[in-house]
Amino acid sequence: MKNRIITYLTLLMAIMVQMSCSDNDDFSVSYQNVLTFETDTLSLDTCFSTVPTPHKKFKVYNNSGNGIRISSIILAQRNQTGFRVNVNGTYLSDANGYSMRDVELYDKDSLRVFVELTSQVNGNDVPTLLEDNLIFTLENGRNQVVNLNAWSWDADILNNETIGGDTVTYLGNENGKPILIYGMLTVDSLATLTVMPGTTLYFHDNAGIDVKGKLKIMGEQDNEVTMRCDRFDWMVSNLSYDNNPGQWGGIHYHAVSYDNEINYTDIHGGSAAIVCDSADDDTKQKLNIRNSSIHNMRSYGIYAEDCNISIENTQISNTLANCLTFCGGKVDINQCTIAQYYPFDANRGAALFFSNGKDGISHPLDMKIYNSLIKGYADDVVIWSHGGTEDSLRVLFDHCLVRTVPGIDYEYMFKDCLIEDDVDDTLTLARNSFVLFDTQNFFYDFTPKEGTAAIDAANPETALPIDRKGRKRDKTLPDIGCYETENVDKDIKDE
């Protein structure tokens, strides 16, 4: 009797195992059972023709309660659009007919899909929409579709290009195409490169401009030059790659380079925006920057040794290293906003660092800063060091708003300045100081708010007639910094 019971139980367990493994139990052909997609439309944003895009991915889930068999996963237009698809490690290629077949997906299981694109030249001056469909055909006869799309833009690509000879070369978007730079765009020692108003230069990873001759970046009011990265997609939901530092290199001026200009130019999202080597002749002007902005850099905003530099009506802000660094030279700054609120690393540098010596060698510094706003998170955002004799450090702050602790021996540097040294510059204070201070989405407008200390505090005798945005400054009570507060009386560009 006991043996019969054991035999019966063994047979019953075998039947149960067989039933649990049967196709009819695990995999359903019910028309109601479908896949669940993270998205029904995958956009690769804007990309440049012939340039491979970064990949994007999405997941496909089976939440139906039963197993689902997928008869086929097919890229509808095969290789006609340039989309490339990989499903769970299988690349949809010509070898498999751009398809994957007989895929079993158990309940609560998922597939991971990766998508890239290399588009062909489309022959248009404006971005062209490209689309393809990834079609999932289920065993139950249902089709489910994910749309793939991107805007493809033909570009003029400069790959380690050199501007040579005793020539003046003009660079602009007159043919309607964007300019995409790979590697170094080199301006040779006898050449001049002029970047025309309204031009946007897109830089690939680590790309930049190497200047031995002259670089004239000649933006105009309401027709600025923009220097940015070549990615249009988003790193995370609240941060685009364009708004993320370190996406390209910067501009490097060699010792033999002089008479460079940057006017009405927006430089952002790079590593070190401007690096100036020690000048062969410090009586010649190395660089003149006017009406521009340098923002969101993963290294320096401006780094210069023994150079003759002037900066007017310019914003230098949010850099991992110092916004401005000067070791020796002659520096004139007027009506600038230097704001050190770099949000991606608490070990950010100062807003301004200067010195009259380095490595035991004297580098005399003559620096004058007028009507400028210099603020940041730290208790002291202006740092200096002595590397030479006392008389080789000649520095004047005149009618500036400065967050610093001067020290009794250096109070002579500050003439008619507002010294912000008695409050902790918390996030709340920063938000109360400027028109826009959005740390959630990393957007900033460093125009001073009405009622704050910078309003009406600049010197009318040395103030510039218009601000960074082209607004007319109050003749008798201009504001400190590169931005004048907006009101009806001040928003007049011409007399």
Side-chain angles (χ1 to χ4, degrees), residues 205-404:
D205 185 30
N206 293 321
I209 303 181
D210 201 41
V211 186
K212 300 172 184 175
K214 293 181 177 63
L215 177 62
K216 308 280 189 180
I217 305 177
M218 305 306 292
E220 296 174 348
Q221 187 178 310
D222 301 323
N223 198 24
E224 294 195 357
V225 170
T226 301
M227 302 176 71
R228 51 156 293 173
C229 75
D230 63 347
R231 295 188 66 168
F232 294 85
D233 52 328
W234 290 73
M235 185 175 183
V236 291
S237 60
N238 63 336
L239 179 62
S240 67
Y241 277 97
D242 182 42
N243 201 26
N244 189 44
Q247 298 304 304
W248 58 285
I251 307 173
H252 179 198
Y253 296 94
H254 287 259
V256 294
S257 177
Y258 299 100
D259 299 325
N260 298 286
E261 296 182 60
I262 299 176
N263 196 28
Y264 283 108
T265 299
D266 174 8
I267 303 172
H268 65 270
S271 293
I274 294 171
V275 174
C276 296
D277 290 347
S278 182
D280 288 345
D281 185 349
D282 60 9
T283 64
K284 294 181 180 179
Q285 185 161 68
K286 171 75 86 176
L287 178 61
N288 185 352
I289 305 175
R290 302 184 304 275
N291 311 304
S292 296
S293 60
I294 298 168
H295 179 69
N296 231 18
M297 310 304 293
R298 192 173 282 175
S299 183
Y300 296 98
I302 299 174
Y303 179 96
E305 290 189 16
D306 299 317
C307 293
N308 188 334
I309 293 178
S310 65
I311 311 172
E312 295 181 347
N313 253 355
T314 292
Q315 171 188 318
I316 306 100
S317 54
N318 292 17
T319 63
L320 177 56
N322 306 320
C323 293
L324 294 176
T325 297
F326 301 110
C327 180
K330 184 178 185 300
V331 180
D332 290 297
I333 298 173
N334 193 8
Q335 216 88 57
C336 288
T337 294
I338 307 162
Q340 180 53 301
Y341 297 96
Y342 187 77
F344 304 105
D345 194 325
N347 293 318
R348 64 187 76 84
L352 170 64
F353 174 85
F354 57 89
S355 175
N356 62 343
K358 180 181 178 183
D359 298 330
I361 300 173
S362 179
H363 295 256
L365 174 66
D366 183 0
M367 182 171 70
K368 297 181 178 64
I369 303 178
Y370 302 97
N371 307 312
S372 293
L373 185 154
I374 309 172
K375 284 173 62 70
Y377 278 131
D379 291 339
D380 191 347
V381 298
V382 178
I383 307 298
W384 61 89
S385 68
H386 264 300
T389 61
E390 189 76 26
D391 61 358
S392 67
L393 183 66
R394 297 181 296 275
V395 175
L396 172 66
F397 295 83
D398 189 336
H399 284 81
C400 295
L401 171 58
V402 189
R403 182 163 180 76
T404 190

Side-chain angles (χ1 to χ4, degrees), residues 12-32:
L12 181 61
M13 290 177 64
I15 292 171
M16 291 177 64
V17 170
Q18 185 176 2
M19 289 177 63
S20 69
C21 295
S22 68
D23 289 350
N24 290 337
D25 186 57
D26 277 353
F27 290 93
S28 171
V29 293
S30 169
Y31 200 71
Q32 302 305 315

